[in-house]
């Protein structure tokens, strides 16, 4: 793959895989692509808040090795599905093989489930879930898991179906009571979706050709504490976008995808591995802890690119939060530049994804910060 890969028509099919499953706070792909375009192949890049793995995917497109960390299992599973090297046919064969050879499991019961999925679709989905919970180690299973996460819910369309569920948003799963009220009000019963047919069709769409094999690690963990040193890797750059202060609903808003990965059958609100949002100063202190943890595995001179902004229901200055975190970190970090990344209007920005909360666009910022000395603290 050319190092000068640009976002043009030829790379559209590669962009498809980046969008295999929506995630609230997508980082636009050109951001990490641009930052990494001149990086040598020997480099390792880290995203300690990788979300759906945009930084890692950009690194992969450029042949650069990467590590991604996210404490939301949904994010980590999507990110990992985009990093494996696998053919579409292998994914659908794996799906067929699981459905043909695995013991049937009892699907979840109750009004929500009977309205959300046709009983045959839910039966197949539950079988896949049980098997992938037991073992999702192979590239085929990692890709299948990410694919199913993206197909799990979304709007009903007129032609061939694109999603397994009854009518639902694609970006987040609406809450069970609300969903049932909606389906009843609109007289919407779930239709049968042939899971294997959908997987075949969508695998062929997202996994268009064999993807290059570039070394990577994706961890589902807490970037404040995850031990990176044992990996034995030195990072030359960090490209990341932490949760904006006040944004706490990553796991509950993805509750149905979380269920598919082994989570409970209802919305799960408490997720302690997420940064907490009690006050701006406490939030900055946690970010400082992340920078320190990360700096232990960074080469001196490595540059951190940090995109950050605000959300409407929290009156806190995003610039202060990031700058306080940089100055509060025990390692020697120097702020090189801070610049506006524009307004969150394009549909690609973090704040814009929360349509329900969106009032007017908010400014986002890019911070470029250099690690001046090795950090062994
Ligand atoms: C702004 S999003 C990152 C989006 C990412 N740039 C992308 O393109 O998808 C922030 C992410 O930080 C994750 N997160 C929150 N607290 C975390 C923690 N303590 N450790 C690791 N990840 C965390 C959230 O789950 C969320 O996915």
């Amino acid at each position: 793959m050319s190092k000068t890969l640009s976002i043009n028509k030829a790379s559209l099919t590669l962009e498809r895989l980046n969008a295999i499953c929506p995630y609230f706070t997508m980082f636009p792909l050109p951001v990490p692509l641009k930052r990494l375009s001149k990086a040598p192949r020997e480099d390792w890049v880290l995203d300690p808040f990788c979300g759906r793995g945009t930084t890692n995917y950009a690194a992969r497109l450029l042949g650069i090795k990467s590590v991604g960390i996210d404490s939301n299992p949904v994010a980590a599973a999507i990110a990992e599905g985009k990093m494996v090297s696998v053919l579409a046919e292998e994914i659908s064969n794996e799906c067929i093989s699981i459905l043909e050879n695995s013991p049937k499991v009892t699907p979840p019961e109750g009004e929500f489930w009977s309205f959300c999925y046709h009983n045959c679709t839910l039966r197949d989905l539950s079988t896949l879930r049980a098997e992938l919970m037991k073992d999702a180690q192979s590239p085929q299973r990692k890709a299948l898991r990410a694919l199913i996460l993206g197909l799990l819910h979304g709007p009903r369309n007129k032609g061939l179906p694109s999603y397994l569920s009854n009518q639902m948003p694609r970006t987040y799963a609406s809450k069970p009571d609300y969903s049932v009220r909606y389906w009843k009000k609109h007289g919407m019963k779930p239709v049968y979706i042939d899971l294997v047919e959908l997987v075949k069709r969508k695998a062929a769409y997202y996994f268009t050709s064999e993807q290059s094999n570039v070394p990577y690690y994706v961890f589902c963990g807490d970037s404040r504490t995850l031990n990176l040193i044992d990996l034995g890797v030195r990072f030359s750059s960090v490209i990341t976008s932490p949760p904006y202060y006040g944004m706490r609903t990553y796991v509950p808003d993805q509750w149905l995808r979380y269920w598919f990965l082994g989570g409970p059958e209802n919305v799960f609100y408490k997720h302690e591995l997420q940064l907490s949002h009690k006050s701006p100063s406490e939030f900055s202190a946690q970010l400082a802890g992340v920078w320190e943890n990360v700096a232990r595995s960074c080469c001196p001179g490595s540059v951190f690119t940090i995109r950050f902004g605000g959300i409407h229901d929290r009156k806190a200055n995003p610039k202060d939060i990031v700058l306080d975190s940089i100055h509060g970190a025990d390692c020697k970090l120097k702020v090189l530049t801070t610049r506006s990344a524009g307004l969150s209007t394009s549909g690609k920005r973090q704040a814009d994804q929360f349509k329900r909360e969106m009032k007017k666009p908010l400014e986002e910022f890019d911070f470029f910060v250099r690690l001046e000395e090795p950090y062994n603290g």
Side-chain angles (χ1 to χ4, degrees):
M1 180 80 47
S2 155
K3 279 302 302 289
T4 53
L5 181 133
S6 60
I7 297 299
N8 55 27
K9 278 189 184 159
S11 65
L12 275 181
T13 51
L14 297 172
E15 279 192 82
R16 274 187 198 169
L17 183 53
N18 189 43
I20 187 170
C21 180
Y23 193 65
F24 267 147
T25 53
M26 334 173 269
F27 207 31
L29 188 59
V31 173
L33 272 179
K34 195 168 165 213
R35 289 298 300 162
L36 292 171
S37 62
K38 295 198 176 77
R41 294 231 171 188
E42 308 72 57
D43 277 12
W44 280 87
V45 58
L46 170 69
D47 187 344
F49 299 103
C50 72
R52 66 175 189 169
T54 317
T55 298
N56 307 85
Y57 189 65
R60 178 193 199 177
L61 293 181
L62 297 167
I64 296 167
K65 303 178 279 284
S66 74
V67 173
I69 309 168
D70 203 290
S71 61
N72 181 355
V74 175
I78 302 169
E80 185 140 44
K82 287 156 47 174
M83 301 303 285
V84 290
S85 196
V86 67
L87 294 171
E89 211 187 343
E90 296 176 319
I91 302 171
S92 26
N93 287 344
E94 186 65 24
C95 179
I96 295 166
S97 159
I98 293 177
L99 292 178
E100 284 180 359
N101 302 316
S102 309
K104 298 287 167 256
V105 295
T106 313
E109 288 170 359
E111 219 177 11
F112 170 81
W113 296 97
S114 62
F115 266 97
C116 191
Y117 298 106
H118 187 279
N119 58 345
C120 299
T121 312
L122 183 59
R123 189 198 52 212
D124 285 349
L125 201 51
S126 304
T127 305
L128 278 185
R129 173 182 184 261
E131 279 308 301
L132 292 175
M133 277 168 62
K134 273 190 234 155
D135 173 12
Q137 288 308 308
S138 68
Q140 292 76 12
R141 287 189 173 210
K142 284 176 180 163
L144 176 62
R145 188 175 60 176
L147 186 67
I148 298 283
L149 289 176
L151 304 179
L152 209 51
H153 52 83
R156 275 178 26 181
N157 46 320
K158 290 219 170 72
L160 287 170
S162 292
Y163 303 101
L164 295 162
S165 72
N166 202 342
Q167 179 75 21
M168 257 228 183
R170 183 176 185 237
T171 41
Y172 66 93
S174 36
K175 305 292 180 283
D177 290 351
Y178 171 87
S179 309
V180 171
R181 275 199 307 277
Y182 180 92
W183 292 322
K184 282 185 173 171
K185 184 175 163 199
H186 294 88
M188 295 181 106
K189 296 246 165 67
V191 294
Y192 170 65
I193 309 288
D194 181 340
L195 195 148
V196 169
E197 186 283 325
L198 186 59
V199 163
K200 271 190 190 162
R201 190 158 38 85
K202 293 294 181 176
Y205 176 80
Y206 287 113
F207 295 83
T208 42
S209 56
E210 195 164 9
Q211 307 282 323
S212 53
N213 231 332
V214 182
Y216 76 91
Y217 297 95
V218 173
F219 297 109
C220 181
D222 185 341
S223 48
R224 292 168 291 192
T225 51
L226 191 102
N227 179 343
L228 286 163
I229 294 177
D230 288 353
L231 269 186
V233 160
R234 288 267 151 199
F235 299 103
S236 310
S237 56
V238 173
I239 303 176
T240 197
S241 178
Y244 292 4
Y245 178 62
M247 201 94 96
R248 293 160 295 128
T249 53
Y250 289 102
V251 185
D253 277 331
Q254 298 292 338
W255 75 270
L256 201 43
R257 293 190 172 111
Y258 185 45
W259 164 78
F260 184 72
L261 297 177
E265 290 173 16
N266 212 320
V267 190
F268 182 73
Y269 285 97
K270 234 179 146 42
H271 206 271
E272 276 151 11
L273 301 187
Q274 292 276 305
L275 294 189
S276 83
H277 299 250
K278 289 194 187 111
S279 70
S281 57
E282 198 223 22
F283 188 80
S284 288
Q286 293 172 82
L287 275 186
V290 173
W291 309 143
E292 286 169 15
N293 191 29
V294 162
R296 292 187 185 100
S297 295
C298 282
C299 314
S302 54
V303 174
F304 295 19
T305 304
I306 303 163
R307 175 158 292 191
F308 198 69
I311 66 168
H312 277 282
D313 69 347
R314 293 291 177 111
K315 298 285 171 249
N317 184 333
K319 270 187 170 180
D320 290 346
I321 289 180
V322 172
L323 294 176
D324 287 353
S325 77
I326 303 293
H327 298 134
D330 192 32
C331 48
K332 200 153 184 225
L333 291 170
K334 181 177 177 191
V335 179
L336 302 174
T337 334
T338 302
R339 68 172 182 229
S340 171
L343 298 175
S344 54
T345 51
S346 69
K348 293 187 175 121
R349 301 287 170 73
Q350 186 164 172
D352 195 35
Q353 302 311 309
F354 283 80
K355 299 256 184 270
R356 291 156 295 171
E357 292 173 14
M358 200 54 196
K359 290 173 188 125
K360 66 178 165 61
L362 290 173
E363 192 171 15
E364 297 179 325
F365 301 93
D366 284 337
F367 301 82
F368 301 93
V369 178
R370 191 170 58 215
L371 179 67
E372 299 288 77
E373 290 172 2
Y375 179 63
N376 303 309

